[in-house]
Amino acid sequence: MDQALASLISSAAGTGAPTLPSSRYFGSATLPFTLPDGTKVMYLARRILPQPGIYQAVHSYVIVEGDRLDNLAAKFLGDPLLFWMICDANSNTDPDALTAQIGRSILIPLSSGIPPGARGG
């Protein structure tokens, strides 16, 4: 792994960075890219959204005014950084869009573990 990327990832540990086990990017590959001037840079491989069916839904929740996905993840999953699991379970990549429509019903997945296939597609 490129030393600059390794340092960046290590310094961000505990903030939702790829080194945190609850991160959707935990264990993702890093890939090299060569710029036109020959400089090599490393980047995280693209994450393909898993099929929502890999998550076991516990129940549905109806969005109310002021809801934010990080707060819902903290309430239902015990960790605000797991907001991405709710996004995945609802085939959505934008947490703000998922909570934008008052009255929308969303699925809340089981929080006991991150299923195989949730990371890395």
Side-chain angles (χ1 to χ4, degrees):
M1 179 183 312
D2 178 81
Q3 186 58 37
L5 179 61
S7 295
L8 178 65
I9 291 172
S10 296
S11 68
T15 64
T19 56
L20 192 63
S22 62
S23 170
R24 69 180 115 188
Y25 298 104
F26 182 77
S28 290
T30 55
L31 302 171
F33 179 76
T34 305
L35 298 173
D37 68 1
T39 304
K40 288 192 179 202
V41 294
M42 299 297 288
Y43 66 96
L44 286 171
R46 182 173 73 158
R47 178 179 178 268
I48 305 298
L49 287 177
Q51 293 294 316
I54 70 169
Y55 292 97
Q56 183 177 1
V58 173
H59 64 278
S60 63
Y61 173 81
V62 177
I63 300 296
V64 298
E65 179 91 27
D67 273 341
R68 286 192 357 218
L69 215 52
D70 59 338
N71 290 335
L72 295 176
K75 178 180 179 179
F76 293 111
L77 305 178
D79 184 347
L81 296 176
L82 293 178
F83 72 90
W84 62 270
M85 288 180 71
I86 299 173
C87 281
D88 284 0
N90 290 277
S91 296
N92 197 306
T93 59
D94 183 352
D96 294 330
L98 199 55
T99 57
Q101 182 183 356
I102 307 304
R104 178 183 187 173
S105 182
I106 62 172
L107 296 175
I108 305 295
L110 187 65
S111 64
S112 66
I114 301 169
R119 295 190 178 104

